[in-house]
Amino acid sequence: MVAAGAQAEPGAPVTNELAQAVEMLRGAQRIVVTTGAGMSKESGIPTFRDAPNALWANYDPQALATRDGFRRDPALVWRWYADRRAMIAQAQPHAGHVALAQWEARAHTFVVLTQNIDGLHAAAGSKHVIELHGNIFRYKCFDRDHPAREPFASGETPPHCACGSLLRPDVVWFGEMLQPAHLDAAYHALAHCDVLLVVGTSGLVYPAAGFAAEAKAAGAHVVEINPEPTPLSELADVFVPGGAMSVLPALAAQIR
Ligand code: OAD
């Protein structure tokens, strides 16, 4: 199915796949978007698994993104996140983030389920965002999850919570549970959506990797946007090859 006369934004060619995605999204009342690190790549934030700057090619996730890693060397983990936080603080949402925020404003139901911890969807103006893996600009304590705020009085690395525990970033590490309330809200949205847009994720980390199957089982169409096919591509009704910064504005411009 190809929509006649689909026009893309200048610079983004109208492809057959884009036109098919437009066809699927036009008239959709309830849209869910799930995003991964590829969503923020064109804001200058490296992804975890794609070359040349893949984080997990250069750093050990077991040492830096697990509770055991933090127990072994809390200062190392604290500093690694501090460096990433400083880098992410310089990043701005790109046209793809903005396109999603503007789309939400005119949609009936529009939910973003992101694995990203950079806060760029909210910075672009998206209101209904579920940050499944937390947010690098928030902190909590390691032992009891007490929330904590900067500035920290001591110069310790890491600082301590008032309860005596060490502080850590409020992000989800490997082997940790996602917040049950976030998962409930995510699965509710997936069970009631017309279209799921999957943007910039390798589809390797659960539970987000299961969202496409969940939406399909509930009868939704799945549209995937990624420069490369992923394990989710076979499930997708349409795979639109390309980057989030060009494809999302081109797509959103057609859905009025
Ligand atoms: P990955 O680094 O695994 O995958 C990034 C995806 O983005 C790949 O499929 C790329 O092809 C795609 N991509 C690259 N450039 C893009 C662009 N301009 N536009 C759109 N897509 C692009 O990142 P995630 O799938 O998000 O978890 O990784 C999932 C989780 O694994 C992360 O949340 C993180 C990581 O380990 C934890 O740290 C717990």
Side-chain angles (χ1 to χ4, degrees):
M1 265 189 308
V2 177
Q7 299 290 313
E9 295 278 275
V14 181
T15 62
N16 193 26
E17 296 91 344
L18 190 70
Q20 287 180 50
V22 168
E23 187 79 5
M24 248 157 227
L25 283 153
R26 200 173 267 155
Q29 294 286 307
R30 298 160 305 177
I31 297 168
V32 177
V33 187
T34 185
T35 63
M39 179 77 215
S40 297
K41 187 169 174 179
E42 290 152 299
S43 289
I45 302 175
T47 65
F48 295 95
R49 295 178 183 81
D50 59 324
N53 298 318
L55 286 175
W56 294 153
N58 298 305
Y59 299 98
D60 176 7
Q62 290 304 320
L64 297 164
T66 66
R67 289 184 69 84
D68 279 349
F70 186 80
R71 272 190 206 98
R72 271 195 297 275
D73 195 341
L76 174 81
V77 175
W78 182 266
R79 281 196 294 265
W80 191 69
Y81 278 93
D83 287 349
R84 284 187 66 204
R85 190 176 300 111
M87 187 267 290
I88 289 171
Q90 305 296 318
Q92 299 293 326
H94 61 59
H97 294 100
V98 173
L100 291 180
Q102 293 175 345
W103 195 346
E104 174 180 359
R106 56 180 197 269
H108 180 266
T109 305
F110 196 99
V111 184
V112 178
L113 311 176
T114 188
Q115 295 172 85
N116 298 341
I117 58 176
D118 53 37
L120 289 183
H121 285 298
S126 284
K127 301 276 181 273
H128 199 163
V129 183
I130 299 178
E131 293 180 319
L132 297 159
H133 290 177
N135 187 304
I136 198 166
F137 297 104
R138 287 198 310 259
Y139 304 87
K140 64 181 182 180
C141 81
F142 184 72
D143 292 331
R144 296 176 192 84
D145 287 346
H146 293 141
R149 279 179 187 282
E150 286 185 282
F152 304 118
S154 76
E156 301 165 309
T157 307
H160 284 80
C161 177
C163 76
S165 164
L166 292 175
L167 294 182
R168 54 165 283 184
D170 188 1
V171 300
V172 175
W173 285 333
F174 289 104
E176 291 190 307
M177 298 292 290
L178 276 63
Q179 280 190 34
H182 284 172
L183 281 179
D184 286 352
Y187 286 121
H188 183 270
L190 291 165
H192 296 92
C193 70
D194 301 317
V195 181
L196 171 67
L197 263 180
V198 181
V199 186
T201 177
S202 58
L204 296 173
V205 176
Y206 283 82
F211 288 173
E214 201 73 28
K216 283 288 276 192
H221 285 125
V222 174
V223 174
E224 185 183 31
I225 299 169
N226 198 308
E228 308 286 338
T230 72
L232 303 176
S233 306
E234 281 196 5
L235 253 178
D237 296 285
V238 185
F239 174 78
V240 186
M245 190 170 82
S246 55
V247 174
L248 285 171
L251 195 55
Q254 304 301 314
I255 320 291
R256 297 276 175 201

